[in-house]
Amino acid sequence: MIRFVTTNEGKFREVSALLRARGIQIERLDRPYPEIQADRLDDVVEYAVDSLAAEVDGEFFVDDSGLFIEALGGFPGVYSSFAYRTIGAPGVLRLMEGVESPAARFETVIGLHGQGKTQLVRGACRGAIAREARGSGGFGFDPIFVPEGHGKTFAEMTTDEKNAVSHRGNAARALAAVLQGR
Ligand code: ITT
């Protein structure tokens, strides 16, 4: 059984639903791991996988994600977890006051460790920061993110609707392809 190492219940709900629909069962390992300060999600994931590989038995993967807002030079990006814990979604909305372009994207990098190697797969989702928070589903910055081509925020979508277009949905489909192709 492959384990998804995450402290974030929302991430597990999304990825496990998508993989289950493809016949892949996973288990959650709810424990934190070291997240280094780096400019790229890839580096954060590689470091996390290496440190976990010494402690976790069997095959596992981690998901590191970030919200990159164009007008803010990509902030919060790799610092999304810190930004969420400190200023939260209301703080991001305040930073957007008076900003012309709401363009933003979510990115996810999944690092899979198993069979003696580490493989990274990625997913992204373009969209915009909403004017105000809407919806009660999802987690994190979901109430303030509207994916391109949609009127709803992620927090106004079901898990399946979010997975169909989201950064994590795209990364999890790439993970499923890796797992099914070997
Ligand atoms: P783990 O590292 O234990 O998996 P985490 O919540 O710390 O959980 P991240 O380091 O990837 O996860 O943090 C990214 C932050 O970005 C997270 O705290 C969320 O608030 C936010 N985030 C990530 N994915 C998101 C999504 O799909 N929708 C909304 N917010 C998201």
Side-chain angles (χ1 to χ4, degrees):
M1 178 80 78
I2 302 175
R3 293 200 275 180
F4 181 5
V5 185
T6 181
T7 60
N8 188 315
E9 193 187 342
K11 286 184 182 180
F12 184 77
R13 186 175 53 238
E14 292 173 10
V15 175
S16 59
L18 191 148
L19 294 179
R20 197 181 317 116
R22 286 162 175 72
I24 303 165
Q25 304 289 338
I26 59 169
E27 235 171 44
R28 179 172 171 208
L29 181 55
D30 180 2
R31 57 156 287 176
Y33 50 81
E35 287 196 24
I36 52 159
Q37 212 174 323
D39 291 345
R40 301 179 332 132
L41 293 176
D42 280 24
D43 297 333
V44 177
V45 168
E46 274 171 1
Y47 187 87
V49 168
D50 284 350
S51 61
L52 282 169
E55 295 171 28
V56 175
D57 288 332
E59 204 162 12
F60 69 86
F61 65 91
V62 299
D63 158 328
D64 200 54
S65 300
L67 172 63
F68 297 76
I69 302 175
E70 270 178 31
L72 304 181
F75 182 82
V78 290
Y79 307 108
S80 292
S81 174
F82 177 75
Y84 185 71
R85 278 185 279 116
T86 52
I87 61 174
V92 170
L93 289 180
R94 277 196 299 278
L95 291 176
M96 295 303 286
E97 280 170 18
V99 170
E100 215 156 277
S101 168
R105 69 182 189 285
F106 262 115
E107 288 183 15
T108 292
V109 177
I110 290 177
L112 170 69
H113 181 83
Q115 304 190 340
K117 59 183 176 187
T118 299
Q119 277 173 281
L120 303 193
V121 293
R122 301 171 186 82
C125 178
R126 299 175 60 82
I129 303 300
R131 287 197 175 281
E132 73 272 301
R134 297 197 313 265
S136 56
F139 66 94
F141 296 112
D142 279 345
I144 63 166
F145 186 83
V146 180
E148 210 167 71
H150 291 262
K152 292 182 190 175
T153 66
F154 273 158
E156 293 175 307
M157 297 181 171
T158 63
T159 298
D160 286 350
E161 284 173 327
K162 181 181 170 186
N163 270 340
V165 294
S166 77
H167 46 303
R168 181 165 301 100
N170 290 327
R173 275 182 285 275
L175 175 66
V178 168
L179 295 172
Q180 284 168 332
R182 60 186 201 188

